[in-house]
């Protein structure tokens, strides 16, 4: 599977860029999946729902299925968080998996950056960041810079990098 990441600090525009890239690559006829890292406790289930009750009772995995989608939740219950490679191995085949987060993993990435956050660029210290998408001109440590909203150009760059 071909993978490419979107990384950056909080409020840098990562999720919006991910949304636009998924739509762009899908419109180009690719099957696209996404994988997002959450740094905090999250839940896709809700107290009182049958599936939540199953999990609370101790189920290791709970699968929900319908005519529109299915989802599999796995409770770690103290086990180590699976790494990126382990999670990717559980995904169905796709032409492209876009990864949001996982700053420190070694897959190729584009960094999203917004001036209002005033965070330092990650790119100068990370050779896996191949380009920067920002809302203002800035020194990108020799990497290509794209306007954060120029989705087609960013998608073209990623497609070229991955030979899509």
């Amino acid at each position: 599977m071909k993978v490419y990441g979107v990384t950056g600090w909080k409020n840098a525009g990562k999720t919006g860029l991910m949304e636009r890239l998924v739509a762009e690559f899908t419109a180009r006829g690719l099957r696209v999946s996404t994988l997002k890292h959450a740094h905090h406790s999250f839940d896709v289930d809700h107290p009182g729902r049958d599936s939540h009750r199953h999990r609370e009772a101790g189920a290791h995995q709970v699968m929900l299925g319908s005519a529109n989608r299915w989802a599999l939740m796995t409770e770690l219950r103290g086990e180590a968080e699976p790494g990126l490679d382990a999670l990717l191995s559980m995904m169905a085949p796709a032409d492209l998996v876009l990864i949001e987060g996982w700053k420190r993993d070694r897959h190729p990435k584009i960094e999203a950056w917004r001036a209002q956050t005033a965070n330092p660029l990650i790119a100068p210290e990370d050779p896996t960041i191949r380009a920067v998408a920002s809302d203002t001109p800035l020194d990108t440590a020799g990497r290509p810079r794209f306007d954060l909203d120029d989705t087609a150009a960013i998608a073209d760059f990623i497609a070229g990098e991955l030979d899509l």
Side-chain angles (χ1 to χ4, degrees):
M1 255 186 311
K2 296 186 179 189
V3 300
Y4 212 92
V6 174
T7 195
W9 301 109
K10 184 178 180 180
N11 297 321
K14 298 181 301 294
T15 301
L17 179 56
M18 287 279 293
E19 282 180 285
R20 294 188 308 274
L21 287 171
V22 169
E24 179 72 23
F25 282 120
T26 300
R28 295 180 184 196
L30 297 177
R31 184 178 195 158
V32 180
S33 295
T34 66
L35 184 53
K36 179 179 180 358
H37 190 256
H39 291 283
H40 47 77
S41 178
F42 74 94
D43 206 335
V44 296
D45 211 356
H46 303 285
R49 295 288 196 196
D50 293 350
S51 53
H52 189 270
R53 292 172 62 191
H54 298 177
R55 288 177 38 228
E56 289 296 309
H60 173 65
Q61 290 189 314
V62 176
M63 182 180 283
L64 295 101
S66 75
N68 295 323
R69 71 190 53 86
W70 64 269
L72 176 63
M73 294 177 283
T74 302
E75 291 296 315
L76 295 177
R77 303 201 190 282
E79 294 177 28
E81 177 182 351
L84 179 59
D85 288 340
L87 293 171
L88 284 168
S89 74
M90 294 181 228
M91 296 185 79
D95 298 314
L96 173 63
V97 178
L98 291 171
I99 300 169
E100 182 176 345
W102 276 282
K103 282 186 199 80
R104 291 168 183 79
D105 281 81
R106 306 318 301 161
H107 57 284
K109 306 170 193 76
I110 189 162
E111 180 177 356
W113 190 88
R114 282 193 179 136
Q116 73 182 32
T117 64
N119 287 313
L121 269 180
I122 301 167
E125 305 302 320
D126 186 345
T128 67
I129 294 176
R130 305 284 213 279
V132 176
S134 68
D135 61 354
T136 188
L138 71 155
D139 179 3
T140 59
R143 289 166 180 82
R145 182 207 161 264
F146 298 94
D147 185 285
L148 188 56
D149 293 322
D150 193 350
T151 308
I154 296 167
D156 288 343
F157 177 79
I158 293 170
E161 287 258 293
L162 297 177
D163 197 29
L164 290 173

